[in-house]
Amino acid sequence: MESSPKLPSLDVLKDQAKRLRDTLVRQGTVVNHSKALELIAGQYGFRDWNTLMGAIGNRPPVRTYSIGEQVIGHYLGQIFTGTIIAVQTLTNAHGRYRVTFDFDEPVDVITFESWSAFRTRVTCTLDEAGRTVEKTSNGQPHMVLQ
């Protein structure tokens, strides 16, 4: 099997290899980093690390998040501009990031005409495409970055 529906980023794969190597060493089996990379490739169904790298190399670039980055997007259906003020890579959810935004202007998160609730700072869990997994009742992601 030489394909995978969703492969993690190169950084995630290398981190998995490092953690695998560390675990094996603690259990008394010494492996070098190259062997750990080969083992990770096998776990994803590839015959070796180079084949896995070839599959990753053909993917579109993955979005990254940086503190201080200026962003534009939609939050709960409202357009916003803002700044990323915190980023955390979630280790238990590959390709997911907890990102905190400081909006340039408050965003009204209520669609009811006679009620408002404004937010200036929110924290969301985003994927590598800049979207939340969580969706509103109409099926739209809570946040989508452009």
Side-chain angles (χ1 to χ4, degrees):
M1 174 171 80
E2 297 214 4
S3 66
S4 178
K6 175 76 172 127
L7 292 173
S9 69
L10 177 60
D11 289 339
V12 168
L13 291 168
K14 286 182 177 181
D15 183 59
Q16 288 175 355
K18 181 182 181 309
R19 288 185 286 127
L20 175 62
R21 185 185 71 220
D22 292 345
T23 300
L24 290 172
V25 166
R26 279 194 308 274
Q27 295 174 352
T29 303
V30 177
V31 298
N32 62 25
H33 189 65
S34 295
K35 179 64 177 175
L37 292 171
E38 296 294 329
L39 291 169
I40 291 297
Q43 289 178 344
Y44 284 95
F46 292 87
R47 81 177 162 214
D48 57 36
W49 179 253
N50 287 335
T51 306
L52 175 57
M53 286 297 299
I56 291 172
N58 293 328
R59 292 190 328 179
V62 173
R63 185 176 196 325
T64 59
Y65 304 97
S66 302
I67 294 174
E69 179 182 350
Q70 299 292 309
V71 293
I72 299 171
H74 287 84
Y75 179 65
L76 297 177
Q78 306 296 317
I79 193 160
F80 75 88
T81 59
T83 305
I84 294 176
I85 61 171
V87 178
Q88 177 187 9
T89 301
L90 301 178
T91 57
N92 294 337
H94 298 296
R96 304 247 185 257
Y97 305 86
R98 182 170 291 121
V99 184
T100 302
F101 300 89
D102 188 28
F103 296 143
D104 294 337
E105 299 289 329
V107 173
D108 190 357
V109 297
I110 304 288
T111 57
F112 190 62
E113 288 182 21
S114 53
W115 182 262
S116 291
F118 290 94
R119 300 285 183 268
T120 57
R121 187 172 287 181
V122 298
T123 300
C124 299
T125 300
L126 299 174
D127 63 15
E128 293 169 332
R131 297 175 170 265
T132 58
V133 173
E134 300 80 16
K135 297 187 175 167
T136 60
S137 60
N138 66 359
Q140 297 301 309
H142 286 187
M143 180 175 283
V144 178
L145 297 180
Q146 294 180 356

